[in-house]
Amino acid sequence: MSTPDKPTHGGARPGSGRLQREPSKVVRLPVSLVPTMQALIATRDFPGGAMLPHPGASRILRPLLGHKVQAGFPSPADDYVEAWLDLNEHLIEHKDATFFVQATGDSMTGAGIQEGNLLVVDRALEARHGDIVIAVIDGDLTVKRLEKRRGRIRLVAENPAYAPIEFTEGQELTIWGVVTSVIQRIKR
Amino acid sequence: MSFALVDGNNFYVSCERVFNPQLEGRPVVVLSNNDGCVVARSAEVKALGVKMGVPWFQLKDLAVRHGILALSSNYTLYADMSNRMMGVISRYSPSQEIYSIDECFLGLDGFPADGLAEMGQRIRQQVRQWVGIPVCVGIAPTKTLAKLANHCAKKNQAGTDSVCDLGRLAADDLTALFERIEVGEVWGVGRRLSEQLAGMGITTVRALRDADAALIRREFSVVLERTVQELRGVSCLALEEVAPNKQQIMASRSFGEYVYALTDLEEAVSTYIARAAEKLRRQHSLANAVQVYIRTNPFSEKQPQYQRGITVPLTHATSDTMRLTRAVLWGLKRIYRPGFAYQKAGVMLMDLHGEDQAQGVLFAVSAPARPVLMDVIDRANARWGRGTLKLAAEGVRKPWQMKRERVSPAYTTRWDELPRVN
C-alpha cells in the first residue's frame, strides 16, 4: 500500500534501531559482576526485587521426597519417608571382601545351586562346619559344603553322584570364601 | 609422630593369583601395554634374576627353560582390587594417604607405641583374608623411615612376619641395620643420586643419615636435606590425604600395530582426548590449551623417523569433549606427514584451572559449553562401561588399539567374566 506523498523506499524502518521505550545509560562495572549483569539483562522482564543465582553458586543436594507438594495439607507420610531398598545392602555385609562367582556343573544341586547361578561370596567370614564354601582344589575354585567333625575335614558335594573329598592331617585346605547367597534368575 | 606404610607384594601378580590359584608358586610376570616389558614379577621370577622393565622378547629363552608365565596387564582388575585393599586398610586409622595403586600410608598419631607391630600383623592378616593380597607393613616415626621399614620387612632384614616397626628398635640396632642397607633404597634417592652420593663416600643409609645436613642442602637440594632429617626421625613430610588436582592430564598409548593413515591417527587421538577430558571433568577443571603429538618407533632403525608435537591454545577454557576434540584434530592435521609408520600418539591437557575460575572471552561470542551433555556422557560411561557414549570421531573398529593377548578376565567388574566355580 502506498500513497503519492509517502515514498516506499528508503527511510526508517519500523522496529529498527535502539529501543525507544526509555533512555539508556553507560555504566562501569567490576569485571567479576559482568556475567551476573548479563544474566540479569537477559531475563529482562524479571519482577522487581527478584534475586538471581550467583553464576558460581555451589550445589546443595536435598533428599527427594516421594509426594507432591500440596498447599494447605502437608502429606501425612512426610515423617515416614524411607530410603529405597538396596539389594546390595541386603546381600552384602562386607563390601571390600565380597565377590560374585558363577556356578557351573551340578555337584551342588541338592543345596539349590544350579548351573549358571550367581553366588555371593564373602571372604571376611571364617568358614564353619556346614557352610557352603569356595575352596581351592588342585588350583581350581570349587563350591562344596564344608564338614568339620571330630578333627575330620571334608568337602561334600550335594549330589550323590560325587564323592566327598577328604582331607587328612598335613593336607592343606585353602578356603577362598563363604557363600552367603545364591541368585537364580527365573527364565521367561 | 608415627606412620605405617602398607604395600602389596608383587601386586599385579598377586591380583591374578587370587582368581587363578594355578599361578600360585609358579614364576609369573605381568607385561606392560602391548605386551612389551615386564611391569610385575612374582618372587620366583625375581629369584631368576629378571629385572623390572625387561622387554618380554628378550626373556623368551629363559621363559621356556623355567616355565615363566606371562600375562597382559589387566588394569581394570588391579584398580578394583586396589580399592578393596585400601578400603580394608582404612579401617585401621582415621588418616590414610593412598600413595599408589598398591601402597598407602597410615597416620598413627595417638596410637599406643607398643601395639603398632601387632596392629601391623592384624592389617596383614585381614587384607590377606578379605582381599587375598599379601602385604608388608613398615612402621616408623617418619614417612621416609616407614618406607625403609617396609623394605626391611619385605627383604626380611628386620621385623617379623613381614611387619617391621623401626620405632621399637634400639639405637645401636638401628645404626647396624642402616649400615647394611644401600643408600639407593631410600625413598627419593634414585640411581643418579646414588652415584653422586657415592662420589662423596655416601653409600649406605647410615652414611646419608649421619651426613652434614647443611652440606647435603648445598651440594644437592633442600629435598634431600629433608630426607636426611626424616632418616634421623624428624618428621618433615605430612600425610597428603586428599590427592592434589593434576596440573596437566595426559593420555597416550602406543599402537597395537603401525598406523599410516591420518584417519586412523584421528580416531586414536579422539579416543585419548575423550578419556583425558573425562578425567578433567572429574577433578572439576578446565583446560586452556591442549597438546597433541605423534611419533614413529625410535627403536626401529630401518624405518624413517618422524616425531612432532603441537600445542593448541584455546580461546576459551573448557572441559567439553567436542571442543577439545576439534582442537586436537586441528593440531594433528598440522603435524601429520604421510609416509611414516606411526607407533604412538598422545594428547595432553595443559594450563588447567578450576571450573569456578573461568575467564570470559573479550572478542568472541563464547560457544555454549555443554555441561549437561558431558555429565550425561560421563554417567552413561560410568554405568554401562567406557565408550558406551562417544563421539563418532573415535571410530568403531579401532585397528590401532593396543594388543593385550594374554589378558585375564575382568573377574570383578563384568557380569560375563566372573570367576567360575565347579
Side-chain angles (χ1 to χ4, degrees):
Chain A
M1 198 176 87
S2 67
T3 52
D5 39 58
K6 242 193 174 176
T8 51
H9 300 286
R13 261 170 307 213
S16 66
R18 191 175 298 174
L19 284 174
Q20 293 297 316
R21 271 191 300 199
E22 52 184 320
S24 60
K25 185 178 188 297
V26 177
V27 180
R28 266 178 181 278
L29 277 178
V31 172
S32 63
L33 270 181
V34 171
T36 314
M37 290 311 293
Q38 280 171 342
L40 196 61
I41 291 161
T43 60
R44 272 189 183 270
D45 298 319
F46 67 97
M51 284 197 247
L52 288 162
H54 186 272
S58 58
R59 275 190 288 175
I60 298 170
L61 297 177
R62 291 259 170 256
L64 193 66
L65 298 180
H67 63 87
K68 288 178 184 155
V69 178
Q70 246 166 12
F73 299 96
S75 161
D78 242 9
D79 296 338
Y80 301 92
V81 174
E82 286 190 25
W84 157 267
L85 290 176
D86 183 354
L87 261 183
N88 281 326
E89 200 180 305
H90 182 64
L91 297 177
I92 298 172
E93 190 185 352
H94 306 101
K95 178 172 152 279
D96 292 323
T98 298
F99 295 85
F100 300 136
V101 303
Q102 195 182 4
T104 62
D106 58 358
S107 69
M108 292 299 282
T109 47
I113 299 176
Q114 311 294 336
E115 165 104 36
N117 283 178
L118 185 73
L119 309 181
V120 180
V121 182
D122 191 341
R123 291 181 54 108
L125 302 176
E126 215 60 64
R128 291 188 302 227
H129 169 73
D131 282 344
I132 294 177
V133 299
I134 306 294
V136 180
I137 305 272
D138 299 328
D140 288 322
L141 298 177
T142 184
V143 54
K144 295 288 176 290
R145 195 179 293 281
L146 177 68
E147 276 191 11
K148 276 174 151 176
R149 263 188 306 200
R150 286 174 243 107
R152 232 168 62 143
I153 297 176
R154 301 201 306 168
L155 288 176
V156 185
E158 295 272 345
N159 180 339
Y162 298 86
I165 305 162
E166 195 103 20
F167 287 82
T168 50
E169 199 125 349
Q171 243 183 326
E172 205 191 347
L173 167 62
T174 306
I175 301 287
W176 196 88
V178 175
V179 178
T180 56
S181 295
V182 181
I183 298 172
Q184 179 168 3
R185 269 195 196 261
I186 307 298
K187 286 242 167 59
R188 49 170 303 212
Chain B
M1 284 281 187
S2 212
F3 299 91
L5 180 78
V6 188
D7 181 7
N9 301 351
N10 323 320
F11 185 69
Y12 298 168
V13 173
S14 297
C15 290
E16 300 283 354
R17 281 177 169 168
V18 170
F19 301 95
N20 185 359
Q22 304 265 9
L23 301 175
E24 212 66 61
R26 299 173 67 177
V28 180
V29 294
V30 174
L31 304 177
S32 61
N33 288 338
N34 290 316
D35 298 345
C37 305
V38 171
V39 291
R41 305 159 295 162
S42 72
E44 298 78 11
V45 173
K46 288 177 187 171
L48 291 172
V50 174
K51 298 274 175 256
M52 203 66 160
V54 179
W56 171 238
F57 72 86
Q58 286 181 12
L59 288 176
K60 288 264 160 82
D61 286 346
L62 195 74
V64 171
R65 223 172 321 132
H66 297 278
I68 299 177
L69 295 166
L71 295 163
S72 305
S73 35
N74 183 348
Y75 286 109
T76 314
L77 176 67
Y78 310 151
D80 180 71
M81 294 299 275
S82 172
N83 287 339
R84 291 165 180 268
M85 178 174 111
M86 298 307 176
V88 172
I89 298 168
S90 73
R91 295 165 166 251
Y92 285 87
S93 166
S95 47
Q96 178 186 33
E97 173 188 341
I98 295 171
Y99 182 67
S100 70
I101 192 166
D102 62 351
E103 55 187 329
C104 69
F105 289 100
L106 289 180
L108 301 178
D109 279 359
F111 287 63
D114 56 354
L116 295 180
E118 197 240 327
M119 187 178 98
Q121 290 296 350
R122 288 208 309 277
I123 293 176
R124 208 171 85 80
Q125 198 279 329
Q126 194 178 357
V127 174
R128 180 77 211 222
Q129 185 184 337
W130 283 40
V131 191
I133 303 289
V135 299
C136 285
V137 184
I139 300 162
T142 71
K143 282 170 85 175
T144 305
L145 284 174
K147 268 277 211 185
L148 205 59
N150 189 281
H151 170 82
C152 292
K154 202 155 272 181
K155 301 279 169 194
N156 218 357
Q157 284 175 303
T160 44
D161 285 341
S162 304
V163 176
C164 171
D165 180 1
L166 289 183
R168 303 300 283 172
L169 237 53
D172 289 349
D173 294 338
L174 203 60
T175 302
L177 176 66
F178 286 178
E179 186 79 56
R180 293 199 302 271
I181 307 173
E182 283 176 29
V183 73
E185 299 297 343
V186 175
W187 192 26
V189 179
R191 202 161 50 91
R192 174 143 344 146
L193 210 50
S194 301
E195 283 166 12
Q196 287 172 310
L197 285 166
M200 294 170 68
I202 298 173
T203 56
T204 65
V205 176
R206 183 195 174 174
L208 183 60
R209 180 193 69 179
D210 298 342
D212 179 357
L215 179 75
I216 293 289
R217 181 184 194 145
R218 213 164 48 237
E219 294 290 320
F220 296 94
S221 65
V222 66
V223 177
L224 193 61
E225 186 204 12
R226 214 158 50 195
T227 301
V228 171
Q229 295 295 351
E230 285 241 317
L231 286 176
R232 293 173 185 173
V234 181
S235 179
C236 307
L237 301 168
L239 276 195
E240 290 174 19
E241 290 178 55
V242 182
N245 270 350
K246 293 207 174 74
Q247 292 306 301
Q248 40 189 236
I249 295 173
M250 248 177 60
S252 68
R253 289 280 153 78
S254 36
F255 303 130
E257 53 194 59
Y258 287 123
V259 164
Y260 300 88
L262 178 63
T263 48
D264 285 338
L265 284 175
E266 284 176 337
E267 282 186 15
V269 160
S270 303
T271 304
Y272 303 159
I273 196 73
R275 184 80 190 102
E278 189 188 324
K279 285 187 189 168
L280 184 69
R281 292 192 290 272
R282 201 180 310 146
Q283 69 169 39
H284 300 290
S285 296
L286 303 174
N288 277 296
V290 52
Q291 193 185 65
V292 51
Y293 73 90
I294 47 177
R295 70 159 168 76
T296 51
N297 181 0
F299 297 106
S300 171
E301 285 154 9
K302 289 167 288 177
Q303 288 172 318
Q305 295 291 312
Y306 177 71
Q307 79 163 60
R308 183 91 189 267
I310 185 172
T311 302
V312 184
L314 303 168
T315 50
H316 196 278
T318 188
S319 61
D320 184 308
T321 301
M322 296 183 204
R323 301 185 59 188
L324 292 167
T325 303
R326 201 176 312 138
V328 290
L329 292 182
W330 185 89
L332 177 65
K333 276 209 181 68
R334 264 137 204 91
I335 57 175
Y336 173 77
R337 297 279 174 280
F340 291 99
Y342 292 100
Q343 193 228 5
K344 189 174 185 177
V347 298
M348 184 158 68
L349 298 172
M350 304 185 333
D351 196 0
L352 310 186
H353 59 64
E355 271 168 2
D356 47 353
Q357 297 157 24
Q359 275 192 357
V361 190
L362 190 51
F363 293 116
V365 181
S366 62
R370 288 157 286 232
V372 178
L373 175 60
M374 292 304 131
D375 192 46
V376 167
I377 291 177
D378 291 346
R379 280 158 189 263
N381 289 339
R383 187 183 299 182
W384 290 293
R386 183 164 301 154
T388 301
L389 283 181
K390 63 184 178 189
L391 301 186
E394 285 189 31
V396 179
R397 210 167 51 84
K398 306 195 183 195
W400 40 269
Q401 236 169 13
M402 65 177 179
K403 280 207 183 83
R404 293 192 302 174
E405 282 169 355
R406 311 147 193 271
V407 69
S408 53
Y411 293 112
T412 58
T413 50
R414 292 188 68 109
W415 290 115
D416 51 351
E417 296 184 17
L418 295 180
R420 292 167 154 260
V421 299
N422 205 319

